[in-house]
Amino acid sequence: MEIRQLVSFKEIVEQGSFSKAAQVLNYAQSSVTSHVRAIEDFYERPVFDRLGKRVVLNSFGEQLYHMVLPLLAGYDDLCALKQDVGEPAGPLRIGVPESTMLYRLSPVLKEYKLLYPGVDIIMQNSICPVMRRLLREGKLDMAILLDRVVEEDELVCRSIFDEPMCVVLPREYPADELINSPAHAILYTEAGCCYREIFAQLLAKQGIETGNIIETASVEVIKQYLLCNLGVSFLPEVVVRKELESGKLRAIPWESIDPVRVQIVHHKDKWISPAMAEFIRLLEAASLAWE
């Protein structure tokens, strides 16, 4: 059994078909098929169930897939050793929540790409629980989380900034504090977002009705809804800073002994490549000037 065969197997699972995997890998479909056949011959059992024209991962294939992920991630690290350690290069896979990506990272990315144009930065926007899972599976090199600190045995976490959070009110809201206002919806970020959970707790504590909800994964959409007087929300202050300064929105600051923090996270067994080390260095330096 060879690495290329496992790569083909992984790609078939993730693309959902032999033909799509062959296209991604630039192989003939017969080559991809032979790679899977070699794996099945090695284990003397199938990894897919053939259901008519469909192939479905079976229970053994599922077990194999989850074991293959960290193996191939380690193989990528081995290949990266070929790069000149003095000059960061190659792909760098980073998970980042939308608000941090939009309002904190632009200067860091600009400086990084000027210094290291040979690094291909692949950014994935997702909620923190998903990014933690992707780190454990080796699908991300690092993540920049916006969350309360969560200790995990497999992950190394370094907090770099306490992100100011606030309850955001439309300019037309009928009070300077949260009240039951039938004309205003609760504007939630997606389920699994840590500050959605904080907002839900705040609403419950103050007895605010939550039957009128609009949920979206985009903080930019939420901001536009706030400007349209659709509802109230809970966001990083940096997302609405310009609108607060201009008077287009209003805010109630939020403070806690357990704040929402910007954190750099990677797997404890992850090799810190030159590309990754330089990104961390620039990010930590930039965070010193954040407000």
Side-chain angles (χ1 to χ4, degrees), residues 50-66:
R50 277 75 170 175
L51 307 177
K53 294 183 178 180
R54 296 173 56 240
V55 290
V56 180
L57 201 63
N58 62 27
S59 58
F60 175 70
E62 186 79 26
Q63 180 183 3
L64 179 63
Y65 173 69
H66 288 295

Side-chain angles (χ1 to χ4, degrees), residues 33-217:
T33 302
S34 69
H35 290 172
V36 172
R37 188 176 297 116
I39 293 171
E40 293 180 329
D41 288 345
F42 179 83
Y43 285 109
E44 299 181 346
R45 67 183 73 182
V47 293
F48 293 105
D49 291 332
R50 277 75 170 175
L51 307 177
K53 294 183 178 180
R54 296 173 56 240
V55 290
V56 180
L57 201 63
N58 62 27
S59 58
F60 175 70
E62 186 79 26
Q63 180 183 3
L64 179 63
Y65 173 69
H66 288 295
M67 296 181 72
V68 162
L69 289 175
L71 172 66
L72 293 182
Y75 178 73
D76 288 342
D77 288 343
L78 287 172
C79 292
L81 289 174
K82 186 177 179 181
Q83 302 291 344
D84 181 0
V85 294
E87 182 63 26
L92 180 59
R93 303 162 300 170
I94 307 173
V96 195
E98 183 193 33
S99 58
T100 305
M101 185 185 297
L102 289 173
Y103 293 96
R104 295 298 189 192
L105 283 194
S106 296
V108 177
L109 290 169
K110 184 175 181 179
E111 183 178 3
Y112 189 91
K113 291 302 289 183
L114 286 172
L115 291 171
Y116 309 116
V119 177
D120 298 326
I121 297 178
I122 304 158
M123 302 181 73
Q124 179 163 338
N125 168 27
S126 191
I127 55 175
C128 294
V130 171
M131 288 190 282
R132 287 190 175 93
R133 174 175 59 77
L134 295 176
L135 288 168
R136 291 193 297 270
E137 293 175 352
K139 294 181 179 179
L140 290 175
D141 297 310
M142 59 178 288
I144 304 165
L145 303 186
L146 183 59
D147 200 353
R148 287 169 158 168
V149 175
V150 177
E151 297 293 338
E152 292 193 56
D153 292 340
E154 294 181 89
L155 303 180
V156 175
C157 171
R158 183 157 67 253
S159 297
I160 61 171
F161 183 70
D162 288 359
E163 188 69 81
M165 305 292 297
C166 60
V167 176
V168 190
L169 309 174
R171 182 170 56 188
E172 300 87 349
Y173 196 70
D176 291 328
E177 59 183 4
L178 283 172
I179 62 171
N180 283 309
S181 176
H184 293 90
I186 304 300
L187 304 177
Y188 272 142
T189 49
E190 63 187 313
C193 172
C194 87
Y195 51 87
R196 172 189 171 133
E197 297 169 5
I198 294 170
F199 190 28
Q201 292 167 4
L202 282 173
L203 295 169
K205 184 177 180 180
Q206 297 189 34
I208 305 299
E209 296 291 336
T210 56
N212 183 9
I213 290 173
I214 298 175
E215 176 184 319
T216 173

Side-chain angles (χ1 to χ4, degrees), residues 1-18 20-27 31-36 38-39 43 47-48 57 64-65 67-77 79 139:
M1 191 166 53
E2 303 174 6
I3 285 289
R4 63 194 177 112
Q5 295 163 352
L6 296 175
V7 170
S8 292
F9 167 68
K10 172 179 175 290
E11 204 63 46
I12 293 165
V13 175
E14 295 178 356
Q15 297 299 325
S17 76
F18 281 63
K20 289 181 181 179
Q23 291 174 6
V24 170
L25 297 171
N26 199 27
Y27 285 156
S31 297
V32 171
T33 302
S34 69
H35 290 172
V36 172
I39 293 171
Y43 285 109
V47 293
F48 293 105
L57 201 63
L64 179 63
Y65 173 69
M67 296 181 72
V68 162
L69 289 175
L71 172 66
L72 293 182
Y75 178 73
D76 288 342
D77 288 343
C79 292
K139 294 181 179 179

